[in-house]
């Protein structure tokens, strides 16, 4: 079984926004693949939002409500991307410790 320091932070939050973790030795298992897929979608959405933000900043006629919605979406996306980065960083640390 996976050691406590080898838990994978999943790309979604649990009840009350608390982090969810996966304990498995099977990196190709269903939950691992599901988490990988969701991370991929989250990163793709972040890239799209970044492009939209650039366009909105260049648009002199953009209204305040559109900017607020975009800022909300960017903040949510940034939260997701930080969770992915943390999870992947943790996975690199765990993987690196096995090679030492």
């Amino acid at each position: 079984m996976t050691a406590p320091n080898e838990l994978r932070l999943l790309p979604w939050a649990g009840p009350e926004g608390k982090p969810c973790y996966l304990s498995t030795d099977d990196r190709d298992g269903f939950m691992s693949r599901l988490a990988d897929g969701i991370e991929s979608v989250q990163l793709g959405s972040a890239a799209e939002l970044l492009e939209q933000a650039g366009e909105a900043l260049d648009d002199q006629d953009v209204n305040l409500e559109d900017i607020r919605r975009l800022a909300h979406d960017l903040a949510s996306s940034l939260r997701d991307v930080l969770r992915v980065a943390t999870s992947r960083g943790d996975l690199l640390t765990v993987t690196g410790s096995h090679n030492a």
Side-chain angles (χ1 to χ4, degrees):
M1 184 51 80
T2 306
N5 64 338
E6 296 179 4
L7 296 176
R8 177 180 179 171
L9 176 63
L10 294 171
W12 56 81
E16 301 173 14
K18 294 183 179 182
C20 291
Y21 294 92
L22 175 63
S23 174
T24 183
D25 293 331
D26 186 3
R27 293 183 189 263
D28 292 322
F30 175 77
M31 289 301 293
S32 293
R33 288 191 325 269
L34 178 64
D36 290 343
I38 290 174
E39 286 178 351
S40 180
V41 169
Q42 290 172 329
L43 295 173
S45 294
E48 290 174 13
L49 279 170
L50 185 58
E51 186 174 323
Q52 290 175 20
E55 291 170 3
L57 291 171
D58 290 340
D59 184 355
Q60 298 294 325
D61 298 323
V62 67
N63 66 49
L64 183 58
E65 184 60 33
D66 288 341
I67 292 294
R68 283 187 177 146
R69 188 176 321 110
L70 179 58
H72 179 271
D73 291 347
L74 284 167
S76 177
S77 183
L78 181 57
R79 192 174 305 109
D80 291 342
V81 168
L82 285 172
R83 186 179 295 120
V84 170
T86 299
S87 176
R88 291 186 180 186
D90 289 347
L91 288 174
L92 289 173
T93 301
V94 169
T95 302
S97 68
H98 286 246
N99 294 331

